[in-house]
Amino acid sequence: IRATRAQKGFVVLNSGESNSLEIVASEGLSKQFLDRLAEVLPGPSIISEVMQSGKPFTSLDLQNDPRARHRLA
């Protein structure tokens, strides 16, 4: 998160054994946002697309980004 100089962000890793996604770090995000994010991680999302494609994703304004399928906060 600091490497990108982002004000807010999170890191998600594949847990491997259970093949599920887990939030392992965050900066500047509310507990409400992170709780909602954890709820939508198992389904189709930008995160699952990134995990499958291996290509990075960045957004300057995720809440207004048309690529985002879920409103998280």
Side-chain angles (χ1 to χ4, degrees):
I1 298 167
R2 288 186 188 118
T4 63
R5 298 183 183 186
Q7 294 176 352
K8 299 178 182 181
F10 57 92
V11 176
V12 175
L13 295 178
N14 188 324
S15 68
E17 293 176 4
S18 64
N19 200 30
S20 62
L21 301 175
E22 180 182 354
I23 302 166
V24 296
S26 67
E27 181 73 37
L29 300 169
S30 70
K31 182 176 178 348
Q32 176 188 5
F33 179 91
L34 294 170
D35 289 347
R36 179 70 178 120
L37 178 61
E39 290 175 14
V40 301
L41 276 178
S45 66
I46 292 169
I47 297 167
S48 60
E49 290 176 23
V50 167
M51 297 295 282
Q52 290 175 356
S53 72
K55 296 180 180 176
F57 172 87
T58 59
S59 177
L60 296 176
D61 184 0
L62 187 59
Q63 289 196 354
N64 293 309
D65 194 315
R67 298 171 291 177
R69 295 184 182 138
H70 299 283
R71 184 146 181 92
L72 298 174

